[in-house]
Every structure is written in structure tokens, then in C-alpha cells.
């Protein structure tokens, strides 16, 4: 029997984890479906699993439609991904994942095409990210790799709008996605960048940038039949996931703040009045996002959950356990006082320590990660609790660096959300590393999905999202810091170690 009340459905597409979440009109979570769908390896490339993802969420929508009345669907995905459509609206060429390594030749030819990377970072707020994380580089790659197939392309759309297209048959474009490490948006002019023309794709990308809560269209008859949803169900334009996570805070947080959104990636975001790169930011993994309300926020990010899971898998193989140990202040004080043991970033060269290969340090001995996985390594790996403390400390110090890059200042409130918000050692270390700032946990369980639901509700009611401020409450819990007199000295040693 179907619930007579009205609901907003959110399709939340992560790199691997996919979610379909249902919210009522009071923005309470009602139901959810989850799937793990990874990129598809194909030779030297990784392809977006768009067919498997679409098949999953259509089936999940059908299941939910049997028991819930859905009025609106909104979509949020990670950044940098696009799909090429031919004249018949079919996928024209393989949708490349941002994890694909294009090779040095493509990197060099792209740099020659767009010009000085530092200028591109200043004007387009896009750093020289590795792989195909920058959308413009991905477009350049497919033009070089698949020239005949690319020649069939008539429309180039972002990933959220592609899934919206599958639901509605309509194509569109949206500002937060185009303003997130694409190199296609000029933040100085607040208009399309010269890179779009240099790539020769100005006729392919839908030129009008809609707001994330505007309606893309209603369901096609085929989708309505397959899912059992009413044909008048509306689908919004969709939104970039980090931007979606920021939406409720931009609406409800009146003072300056910094959001630390944790998961496979740790994304640190700080709203600012304009794009202002410091000299030391250039060449680093620092950029700006165009937010849902015409503003910008400075962003720094690194691979967090993935690296944490790799090390925990290593420890699990040694100790036959992967549970989080209880916090041991004496153990932590001993590690900080000795300043001889470190887990240094980074396994993936994507973050604040681009020139620091992952390695473990014990005194004067340095162990590259490859040696560790071949059975060598420091003695502290034999101590599960000590290793977990060192690993969490490494994650916290990488976060501290990202906070610094994103513009954190003493006294600025810090809000932590996502998977690492459940790691008490991590959150208390962040509080200890920013002792003059209130560090808080948010009551939002899925910030990106909640922000997307808020936009779906705005579309459903035909109002600005700011008009919905009274519909929800942002609860926070203050995180107490540790008393760690040797923490600053450990940070300084950690920084020196990453440099040599």
C-alpha cells in the first residue's frame, strides 16, 4: 500500500557508493537504497558505470514507488564527469572516469593548448589535478583518443544532467557543476572561459546555466511505466555533491565557517567573498567552487577514506581485526613526545602533499609503502592500537594542512560531517589542532543528500531554498580538544619529514 504523503527522492552518486534516499516534506529521511558500483576497467582507461548505475536507480525507484508517493527527483554526483550524446541522443563514446591516467603526452598537449597552469588556476580556479579530474582535460583526451566517435557528438552534458536526461529526455546545464575544477568557467569574468573555445566545444555544451533547484523536466512515458511513478514527477537540474553538502549551511549558518566533509575524499570548504589565491596556493590542490547561490567557496581536498582503508586493510591482515580502538591519551602523549614514528602521505598523489610519496618512519628508518606490503616495515605495525593512533593522527594532520590552504583562521568555526565524524580520535585531534576555534559535529547524517533534498523541495514548492530555512534545524555538538603539549612539535616534525 502506498504512503499518501509526498516525498522528495535524491539520487546521490558517489565514486563507488550509490544511494537513493527519500525525504518527506519536513526533510526527514524516510527510506533508502544503497549499491556499490565501481568504475569499469577498460585497457588503460576507467569508464563511468553509467548503464549499471541507471539500471540500479530505476529499479530502486520502482521499489520505492510501490510504497511511497514521490513528487520530485533531484540528482547529485561527484565533479568532473561528462557524457557525449550523438544526434539521436545516444551515448557517442565511452564515458571516461576521472580516475583514468591519460599519459604524459596528453598532459603535455593539454597544457600547450590552454597555456600557463598558474594563470588557469588564477582565472578558472582550477589547479593542475592529476588524471582526468579536470573536465577540460577529459574533453581534450576523448577528442585525441576517439576522434571519429567524438565527431558524432552533438551534446556534451555533465553527469548529473545525463542522469536527468535519462529520466526526462531533456538536456540542460547547471552552474555549480560547471564551476567546479572544469577549467571551463572564468571566475574573473564570471562567464565561459577561453578554454571552451580552444577545445572547440562551445556548440556542444548547453550554454544556459540553470540554478540547481530549477526543473529540468518531467518523466518520460517509458520511465514512468518502468518505475510506476506518475508522469508528472519533476526532475531538478541536479548539483555537484560538495556544493549540495554546503547548501544547508549556506542557508542556516550566519557567521563565517569552514566545512570539513569527509569520506573517500576529504573536502575542506570555506565561503569567501571572491576568488583570492595566495601565491603559495598556486600549483597546489586548491581551487574555488561556484556555489548554488552565486557565491564562491575556497576548497582544498585530499584522498582520505581510501588511504585510511588501505592502511586498515594492511593492519587487518596482520592482526585479524579492523575495529576502532578506544582512545588512549597516554599512548597518544607517548607518540607525540617521542616524535619518531610517522605515517606520511600520500598513497594517491592528490592532496596537500603532492611531492611526498607514502612511507612509514620509525626513528632513522624509512619504509616505502611497497616494502611495507611486501612484509617489511616498522615495529609499530606489530602494535595495533599504536598503528591506528598514528594513522588517525596522519589523517588529522593532512586535514589541518587542507584547512590552512582553504583559509582557516583562528576562531573560525569548523564543522565536520561525513564518515570521519564518527572517529572520535580524529575529531578531537582536529579540535586540538585548531584550539582557538569551535570544532563541531553536525547532526546531518548525509549532508550532500540532505542539501539535494532541500533543493528538490524548493522546486516542488516553487520557492527559493532560502525560504525553507525554517523547515529544518542544524544541530551541532562541540568537540572537546585534548591537552597535548607536544602536538605542535610533532606537527613541525611531520611537516619536515614530508619534505625529505
Amino acid at each position: 500500500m502506498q504512503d499518501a504523503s509526498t516525498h522528495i527522492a535524491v539520487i546521490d552518486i558517489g565514486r563507488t557508493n550509490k544511494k537513493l534516499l527519500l525525504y518527506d516534506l519536513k526533510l526527514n529521511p524516510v527510506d533508502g537504497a544503497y549499491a556499490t558500483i565501481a568504475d569499469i576497467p577498460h585497457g588503460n582507461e576507467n569508464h563511468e558505470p553509467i548503464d549499471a548505475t541507471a539500471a540500479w536507480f530505476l529499479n530502486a525507484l520502482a521499489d520505492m514507488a510501490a510504497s511511497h508517493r514521490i513528487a520530485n527527483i533531484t540528482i547529485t554526483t561527484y565533479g568532473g564527469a561528462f557524457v557525449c550524446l550523438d544526434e539521436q541522443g545516444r551515448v557517442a563514446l565511452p564515458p571516461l572516469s576521472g580516475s583514468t591516467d591519460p599519459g604524459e603526452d596528453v598532459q603535455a598537449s593539454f597544457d600547450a593548448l590552454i597555456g600557463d597552469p598558474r594563470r588557469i588556476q588564477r582565472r578558472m580556479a582550477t589547479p593542475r589535478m592529476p588524471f582526468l579530474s579536470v573536465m577540460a582535460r577529459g574533453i581534450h583526451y576523448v577528442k585525441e583518443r576517439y576522434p571519429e566517435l567524438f565527431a558524432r557528438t552533438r551534446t556534451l552534458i555533465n553527469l548529473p544532467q545525463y542522469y536527468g536526461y535519462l529520466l526526462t529526455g531533456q538536456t540542460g546545464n547547471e552552474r555549480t557543476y560547471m564551476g567546479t575544477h572544469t577549467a571551463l568557467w572564468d571566475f574573473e569574468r564570471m562567464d565561459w572561459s577561453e578554454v571552451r573555445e580552444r577545445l572547440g566545444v562551445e556548440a556542444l555544451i548547453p550554454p544556459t546555466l540553470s540554478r540547481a533547484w530549477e526543473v529540468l523536466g518531467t518523466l518520460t512515458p517509458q520511465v514512468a511505466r518502468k518505475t510506476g511513478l506518475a508522469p508528472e514527477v519533476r526532475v531538478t537540474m541536479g548539483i555537484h555533491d560538495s556544493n549540495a553538502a554546503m547548501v544547508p549551511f549556506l542557508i542556516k549558518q550566519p557567521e563565517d565557517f569552514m566545512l570539513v566533509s569527509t569520506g573517500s575524499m576529504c573536502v575542506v570548504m570555506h565561503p569567501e567573498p571572491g576568488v583570492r589565491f595566495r601565491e603559495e596556493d598556486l600549483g597546489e590542490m586548491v581551487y574555488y567552487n561556484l556555489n548554488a547561490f552565486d557565491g564562491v567557496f575556497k576548497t582544498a581536498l585530499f584522498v582520505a577514506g581510501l588511504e585510511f582503508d588501505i592502511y586498515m586493510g594492511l593492519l587487518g591482515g596482520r592482526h585479524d581485526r579492523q575495529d576502532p580502538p578506544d582512545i588512549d591519551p597516554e599512548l597518544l602523549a607517548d607518540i607525540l613526545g617521542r616524535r619518531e614514528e610517522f605515517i606520511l602521505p600520500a598513497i594517491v598523489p592528490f592532496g596537500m602533499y603532492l611531492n611526498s610519496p607514502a612511507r612509514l618512519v620509525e626513528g632513522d628508518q624509512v619504509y616505502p609503502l611497497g616494502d611495507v606490503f611486501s612484509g617489511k616495515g616498522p615495529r609499530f605495525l606489530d602494535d595495533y592500537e599504536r598503528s591506528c593512533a598514528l594513522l588517525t593522527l596522519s589523517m588529522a594532520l593532512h586535514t589541518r594542512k587542507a584547512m590552512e590552504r582553504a583559509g582557516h583562521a583562528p576562531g573560525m568555526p569548523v564543522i565536520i560531517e561525513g564518515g570521519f565524524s564518527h572517529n572520535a580520535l580524529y575529531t578531537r585531534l582536529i579540535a586540538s589542532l585548531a584550539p582557538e576555534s569551535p570544532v563541531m559535529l553536525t547532526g546531518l547524517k548525509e549532508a550532500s543528500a540532505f542539501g539535494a533534498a532541500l533543493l528538490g523541495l524548493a522546486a516542488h514548492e516553487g520557492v527559493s531554498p532560502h525560504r525553507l530555512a525554517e523547515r529544518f534545524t542544524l544541530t551541532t555538538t562541540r568537540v572537546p580538544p585534548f591537552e597535548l603539549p607536544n602536538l605542535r612539535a610533532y606537527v613541525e616534525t611531520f611537516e619536515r619529514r614530508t619534505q625529505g
Side-chain angles (χ1 to χ4, degrees):
M1 182 176 178
Q2 191 180 68
D3 181 353
S5 58
T6 301
H7 299 89
I8 308 297
V10 175
I11 299 171
D12 184 353
I13 305 299
R15 289 281 179 190
T16 301
N17 298 318
K18 324 297 181 187
K19 308 167 191 171
L20 175 64
L21 301 174
L22 215 59
Y23 292 81
D24 65 21
L25 299 191
K26 295 182 179 179
L27 294 171
N28 297 309
V30 173
D31 203 351
Y34 305 84
T36 299
I37 306 173
D39 287 348
I40 303 168
H42 185 84
N44 295 326
E45 300 173 346
N46 293 321
H47 294 173
E48 296 281 356
I50 55 174
D51 292 338
T53 299
W56 169 76
F57 71 64
L58 287 172
N59 288 332
L61 280 169
D63 290 341
M64 288 192 182
S67 53
H68 300 288
R69 180 173 177 267
I70 297 172
N72 182 281
I73 300 170
T74 190
I75 302 163
T76 180
T77 81
Y78 49 87
F82 63 94
V83 179
C84 294
L85 303 178
D86 66 15
E87 194 168 6
Q88 286 74 43
R90 299 172 302 199
V91 177
L93 53 83
L96 270 293
S97 166
S99 63
T100 297
D101 185 350
E104 284 303 314
D105 289 347
V106 172
Q107 295 275 23
S109 63
F110 179 70
D111 288 344
L113 176 73
I114 66 169
D116 178 16
R118 292 168 69 88
R119 177 180 173 274
I120 294 297
Q121 189 169 2
R122 280 192 189 278
R123 288 286 297 264
M124 287 63 161
T126 301
R128 194 180 188 275
M129 290 177 160
F131 311 125
L132 295 183
S133 304
V134 175
M135 186 187 292
R137 186 185 295 128
I139 295 170
H140 176 69
Y141 175 85
V142 296
K143 287 185 67 179
E144 297 282 312
R145 175 72 173 80
Y146 300 101
E148 293 182 2
L149 294 178
F150 189 80
R152 295 165 43 197
T153 298
R154 295 295 176 267
T155 308
L156 192 156
I157 53 176
N158 306 323
L159 192 59
Q161 286 77 57
Y162 171 71
Y163 289 128
Y165 164 75
L166 292 182
L167 293 171
T168 67
Q170 304 296 317
T171 60
N173 207 339
E174 186 273 329
R175 56 192 305 106
T176 68
Y177 210 87
M178 293 313 303
T180 299
H181 60 78
T182 65
L184 297 171
W185 188 255
D186 188 319
F187 280 74
E188 189 172 298
R189 296 189 301 116
M190 281 297 167
D191 200 352
W192 293 103
S193 80
E194 65 203 43
V195 175
R196 185 182 66 152
E197 283 69 38
R198 291 186 184 184
L199 288 168
V201 294
E202 59 269 34
L204 304 181
I205 299 175
T208 301
L209 294 185
S210 300
R211 296 190 180 278
W213 61 92
E214 290 185 38
V215 175
L216 175 63
T218 56
L219 299 184
T220 65
Q222 296 89 338
V223 169
R225 284 195 299 270
K226 181 174 180 58
T227 60
L229 291 167
E232 60 268 21
V233 169
R234 294 189 291 182
V235 180
T236 56
M237 278 291 170
I239 187 170
H240 173 245
D241 56 3
S242 296
N243 270 280
M246 282 290 277
V247 164
F249 300 98
L250 290 172
I251 290 175
K252 295 283 280 193
Q253 187 77 15
E255 59 185 349
D256 197 11
F257 72 97
M258 177 166 281
L259 180 63
V260 178
S261 182
T262 63
S264 296
M265 304 289 293
C266 177
V267 186
V268 180
M269 298 169 277
H270 174 227
E272 294 194 354
V275 174
R276 297 177 299 187
F277 284 105
R278 300 169 298 186
E279 194 63 30
E280 61 266 29
D281 293 333
L282 299 177
E284 300 293 337
M285 204 64 62
V286 181
Y287 58 98
Y288 279 81
N289 281 339
L290 191 62
N291 76 31
F293 306 117
D294 298 328
V296 299
F297 54 89
K298 195 174 187 180
T299 305
L301 81 169
F302 67 96
V303 178
L306 175 62
E307 295 212 1
F308 188 85
D309 289 346
I310 288 172
Y311 280 113
M312 288 304 295
L314 175 69
L315 292 173
R318 284 176 173 251
H319 298 277
D320 196 28
R321 58 182 289 201
Q322 291 192 43
D323 58 298
D326 293 335
I327 294 175
D328 185 341
E330 292 184 4
L331 171 62
L332 193 56
D334 182 63
I335 290 171
L336 297 176
R338 289 173 181 270
R339 297 195 295 281
E340 292 183 340
E341 299 162 322
F342 302 89
I343 296 178
L344 299 178
I347 295 176
V348 180
F350 194 104
M352 302 299 100
Y353 298 97
L354 293 174
N355 299 313
S356 171
R359 56 208 186 277
L360 280 63
V361 175
E362 188 170 62
D364 294 330
Q365 294 295 312
V366 178
Y367 300 89
L369 191 62
D371 289 354
V372 174
F373 276 97
S374 66
K376 302 173 185 177
R379 288 169 298 176
F380 67 70
L381 288 178
D382 295 327
D383 185 329
Y384 182 79
E385 285 78 8
R386 195 175 193 89
S387 296
C388 287
L390 284 161
L391 175 57
T392 304
L393 183 57
S394 178
M395 293 291 119
L397 295 185
H398 206 150
T399 306
R400 180 203 70 85
K401 190 74 168 181
M403 288 168 56
E404 178 185 285
R405 289 287 189 202
H408 185 262
M412 182 186 296
V414 177
I415 302 168
I416 303 174
E417 73 91 16
F420 278 79
S421 67
H422 305 293
N423 185 324
L425 177 57
Y426 171 86
T427 59
R428 292 191 67 184
L429 282 169
I430 297 299
S432 306
L433 289 161
E436 298 176 12
S437 296
V439 174
M440 298 167 286
L441 306 181
T442 173
L444 291 182
K445 297 208 177 344
E446 303 273 2
S448 291
F450 183 88
L454 185 57
L455 298 175
L457 180 58
H460 175 67
E461 299 196 355
V463 299
S464 163
H466 284 91
R467 295 280 299 276
L468 303 174
E470 302 305 315
R471 297 284 189 94
F472 67 99
T473 302
L474 285 181
T475 59
T476 56
T477 305
R478 184 80 178 259
V479 178
F482 293 112
E483 290 290 336
L484 298 172
N486 293 312
L487 180 58
R488 183 177 297 275
Y490 187 92
V491 171
E492 292 171 355
T493 307
F494 181 93
E495 289 293 327
R496 284 198 304 272
R497 290 281 196 168
T498 62
Q499 296 166 15

